[in-house]
Amino acid sequence: MFVRTVYATGDPAKLDQALDGFRAEAVGLLSAQPGYRGFGLFANRELGIITMGSWWESRQAEQDSDAQLKQRRAELLAPFAGTVATDTWEAVVAERPAQAGPGAWFRLTKFDFDRANAGKLADAFRTVALPALRQLDGFLGGSMLLNLEDERGAVGGLFADRATFDASRGPVAEARAKAAAAGGVTLRSLEEFEAVLLDLPAKS
């Protein structure tokens, strides 16, 4: 599975306009493309950040869909975004939620790693971090994304509501430290987002 992420920053006062556009159009545009497997839209309203990820069954499907959709994506972001970064990743571990209702929250960690340790890193997330996360109230799913060429990675974790999300910070910090040590990574950022829209098609 491959994932295209978009990270946009801008004026917080203009954020809702962009979110409304993606709510109205994103799922329809994406689901019309071959190989589509899901979409998440997330926001930090206070800082003025939108991040989103679309899931694809193959690298070719991701590339083809990007060619078809990047112009409309830019148009939808234009009223808000001052900066936009787009990245492509391989989902090396994915425990995607069966469902997520309104009020869900998302934690995103980004890191650097040595590509020679990619397998060890995925194993550490699968065997150390995920089992610990599954024990937490409200945990819905988590994934590890890697870009082997650039030696960059990202881990996302989704929680059912703000209360369980807030309560998870301590236990997640402990699991993150253990997994980072086991996988030999350098943590670069830790961010938290409101889940604005999640489209999780049933597995075919």
Side-chain angles (χ1 to χ4, degrees):
M1 195 93 70
F2 290 83
V3 182
R4 179 171 61 252
T5 61
V6 178
Y7 187 93
T9 69
D11 182 349
K14 299 177 181 178
L15 183 145
D16 279 325
Q17 181 179 355
L19 292 180
D20 288 345
F22 281 103
R23 282 193 192 98
E25 295 189 35
V27 173
L29 291 170
L30 292 162
S31 61
Q33 303 300 312
Y36 170 70
R37 290 295 178 265
F39 175 69
L41 175 66
F42 310 95
N44 183 316
R45 296 176 183 276
E46 183 178 1
L47 296 181
I49 304 170
I50 292 173
T51 191
M52 63 189 91
S54 56
W55 291 66
W56 304 93
E57 67 180 13
S58 67
R59 187 181 297 275
Q60 190 63 54
E62 185 281 320
Q63 292 173 343
D64 291 346
S65 67
D66 193 40
Q68 292 294 319
L69 300 176
K70 61 183 177 182
Q71 180 175 344
R72 184 55 184 155
R73 182 176 67 234
E75 292 169 352
L76 290 170
L77 284 170
F80 159 74
T83 70
V84 180
T86 303
D87 292 290
T88 303
W89 317 80
E90 183 176 0
V92 296
V93 182
E95 185 169 299
R96 302 174 69 197
Q99 60 182 359
W105 278 74
F106 179 70
R107 181 175 291 114
L108 178 65
T109 305
K110 296 179 182 178
F111 55 88
D112 298 337
F113 70 100
D114 185 331
R115 66 174 61 91
N117 294 330
K120 180 172 70 173
L121 182 57
D123 286 343
F125 183 71
R126 185 182 297 108
T127 62
V128 178
L130 269 180
L133 291 169
R134 293 187 192 110
Q135 302 304 310
L136 301 179
D137 288 342
F139 177 69
L140 298 177
S143 300
M144 172 175 281
L145 313 180
L146 298 182
N147 182 316
L148 293 176
E149 182 178 351
D150 295 338
E151 297 184 312
R152 294 181 296 117
V155 166
L158 187 69
F159 285 79
D161 53 51
R162 185 61 187 263
T164 56
F165 181 77
D166 289 349
S168 73
R169 289 193 181 102
V172 168
E174 182 177 355
R176 182 170 57 242
K178 290 179 179 177
V185 306
T186 301
L187 273 292
R188 292 298 184 188
S189 68
L190 172 64
E191 298 182 87
E192 298 182 344
F193 298 94
E194 170 192 351
V196 176
L197 173 65
L198 295 167
D199 183 52
L200 304 166
K203 294 180 180 179
S204 57

